[in-house]
Amino acid sequence: MPPSSGAFPTSSKSVSFDYWSKNYEFEPSPEVIKWKEDYLSTEGGLEHVLGILGLKLRLSGNTEKEIEEIPLEEKLMMANAFFSGGHELVVSKRHFMDGAEYDSQLCSSGELTPVEHFHYFKFTIEAMKRIYANNRYIRYISVFQNWLKPAGASFDHLHKQLVSIDEWGTSIEREVDLLRTNPNIYNECATNYAGYMNLVFAENEHAIAFADFGHRFPSLAVYSKSAKPNPMLMTDEELRGMSDIVHACHAAMGSGIPCNEEWYYTPLDSTEAMPWHVLIKWRVNTPAGFEGGTKIYINTIDPQSLRDKVVPRLFELKNAGKTAVFDIAFECSCEPNALMYNKAYRRAPDFQDSLESGYDE
């Protein structure tokens, strides 16, 4: 990983290693076992792993005596989850923004430079590749970022999460059903419609963004134009195009607004292709009794107002050189059917090649 980004992966627990082991008889690959053995062969590595295990066991209610009585061999078996788990975090380097004077000035995605944000994206996608390559039972990896506690973050430090699951999830299943009815639905009902309604606020060669509609929270949508419907298959140029506009969305929003960044892409075992798209949902309102009782959700910022909040800030940031250069608002071409996801593609060979290529610094 380039020093400028400072990101690193660390293991957590959601769908646990035990889940894969007990339900699928999953075992770490020979490569992962060697990695584990090499790491544990060092004094620092062994101390690190045992320290984390001790902490997890204490938090699970075990006493110090009970932890001490667990044989070392058993503890090292527990450590398989650290090397071959399916829930990973990608954690950014800086906690505070550059020049911060107050502890509230946290470093968000928008406070990264465009280059740093691209490597943050690239590192996340590399983690996806390695997780898929290590566990053939995974059908989908949910990628998301919760920024600040009102958006569900358990700690106030910039990080992405990757959670492996053995199904697509209801949202992806519904979208695939819509694709079977209308393969061009993302063009017709997303980017084309957004263009007709003047909701598109950013565009470059590889991505297009608009103020989205139909969500419980004010939402910005960024869609990849690539014919490759999965970020793991894309070139660095295509990834950079997406990263630049997602970064600009966060920068325009500022670091003080809680938000969820959610990734959607074509599952590896899907015969229908959907475009990779990223939703950034502003958690500026809290559903309560009214919403729970009626299932009527009031979005406090309409798409046109959301666009009008973002556009001036994007021009300001671009003119200051704090974001990449791309078309904004009236500069955007908004060409109909700009998304190429439903063109023919050869998923399996390309994906295999991408797994073998490794991370290119």
Side-chain angles (χ1 to χ4, degrees):
M1 193 66 195
S4 60
S5 69
F8 61 93
T10 180
S11 183
S12 183
K13 180 178 179 180
S14 184
V15 180
S16 67
F17 176 86
D18 284 347
Y19 176 88
W20 298 105
S21 177
K22 292 177 180 178
N23 286 281
Y24 295 97
E25 299 183 358
F26 169 71
E27 295 181 357
S29 67
E31 293 78 13
V32 170
I33 290 174
K34 185 178 186 306
W35 172 35
K36 174 186 172 182
E37 291 174 347
D38 290 345
Y39 192 76
L40 295 177
S41 67
T42 66
E43 182 178 349
L46 181 62
E47 181 181 351
H48 180 210
V49 168
L50 292 179
I52 295 176
L53 277 172
L55 175 62
K56 290 173 69 69
L57 289 168
R58 283 192 291 276
L59 292 175
S60 297
N62 293 273
T63 66
E64 292 296 335
K65 181 179 180 181
E66 289 171 334
I67 295 172
E68 290 177 2
E69 291 176 349
I70 299 175
L72 177 61
E73 183 178 353
E74 185 176 340
K75 289 180 179 178
L76 297 184
M77 285 296 294
M78 295 178 188
N80 281 338
F82 300 151
F83 296 88
S84 197
H87 182 180
E88 301 293 335
L89 304 186
V90 178
V91 182
S92 179
K93 180 180 181 180
R94 295 193 296 277
H95 185 70
F96 298 108
M97 61 179 68
D98 291 338
E101 298 179 358
Y102 305 100
D103 60 10
S104 60
Q105 294 176 291
L106 301 171
C107 181
S108 66
S109 286
E111 293 297 329
L112 302 176
T113 68
V115 172
E116 287 175 331
H117 190 268
F118 165 67
H119 286 299
Y120 185 36
F121 255 44
K122 187 78 182 290
F123 199 83
T124 301
I125 293 165
E126 176 63 17
M128 293 173 67
K129 292 180 184 179
R130 295 184 181 184
I131 293 171
Y132 273 121
N134 185 53
N135 185 344
R136 67 184 181 88
Y137 303 107
I138 292 171
R139 295 190 62 205
Y140 196 75
I141 297 175
S142 175
V143 181
F144 57 94
Q145 175 176 290
N146 301 331
W147 175 247
L148 302 180
K149 290 180 180 178
S154 56
F155 57 96
D156 291 337
H157 189 102
L158 181 60
H159 64 285
K160 279 183 169 50
Q161 296 193 55
L162 301 90
V163 178
S164 307
I165 50 180
D166 53 356
E167 58 179 85
W168 292 352
T170 302
S171 178
I172 298 298
E173 288 174 352
R174 288 176 176 173
E175 295 197 27
V176 169
D177 285 342
L178 291 173
L179 281 166
R180 293 187 178 116
T181 303
N182 180 3
N184 198 42
I185 193 168
Y186 287 98
N187 276 309
E188 295 178 11
C189 298
T191 53
N192 289 4
Y193 180 80
Y196 302 146
M197 296 294 105
N198 292 320
L199 297 176
V200 172
F201 61 80
E203 186 175 10
N204 61 25
E205 182 181 357
H206 301 291
I208 184 170
F210 56 91
D212 208 355
F213 32 85
H215 299 289
R216 297 179 182 179
F217 303 97
S219 300
L220 307 178
V222 185
Y223 276 72
S224 169
K225 296 180 181 179
S226 174
K228 300 170 184 174
N230 188 306
M232 294 182 290
L233 307 176
M234 294 181 186
T235 65
D236 280 2
E237 185 178 356
E238 291 170 320
L239 295 176
R240 180 63 189 265
M242 278 289 286
S243 172
D244 282 347
I245 293 187
V246 171
H247 168 258
C249 288
H250 283 290
M253 179 181 68
S255 60
I257 297 179
C259 69
N260 302 115
E261 179 185 305
E262 303 168 355
W263 290 20
Y264 299 83
Y265 59 91
T266 299
L268 298 180
D269 57 346
S270 173
T271 55
E272 282 73 32
M274 70 175 66
W276 175 33
H277 51 290
V278 176
L279 300 184
I280 301 171
K281 299 179 179 178
W282 295 13
R283 298 295 293 272
V284 293
N285 52 299
T286 303
F290 170 77
E291 291 84 357
T294 64
K295 303 305 177 186
I296 299 172
Y297 294 86
I298 300 174
N299 193 327
T300 56
I301 304 177
D302 63 82
Q304 289 78 12
S305 298
L306 183 61
R307 172 205 59 200
D308 292 344
K309 289 178 180 292
V310 171
V311 168
R313 182 63 176 152
L314 286 177
F315 276 115
E316 180 183 339
L317 290 164
K318 184 169 77 167
N319 293 336
K322 294 184 178 180
T323 63
V325 176
F326 50 81
D327 293 336
I328 300 173
F330 57 84
E331 300 173 341
C332 301
S333 65
C334 297
E335 178 183 350
N337 298 321
L339 308 182
M340 306 299 290
Y341 67 95
N342 56 357
K343 306 301 180 184
Y345 72 98
R346 297 178 62 199
R347 173 173 44 81
D350 286 349
F351 177 62
Q352 192 59 42
D353 289 344
S354 73
L355 291 181
E356 295 171 357
S357 64
Y359 182 77
D360 182 7
E361 297 186 2

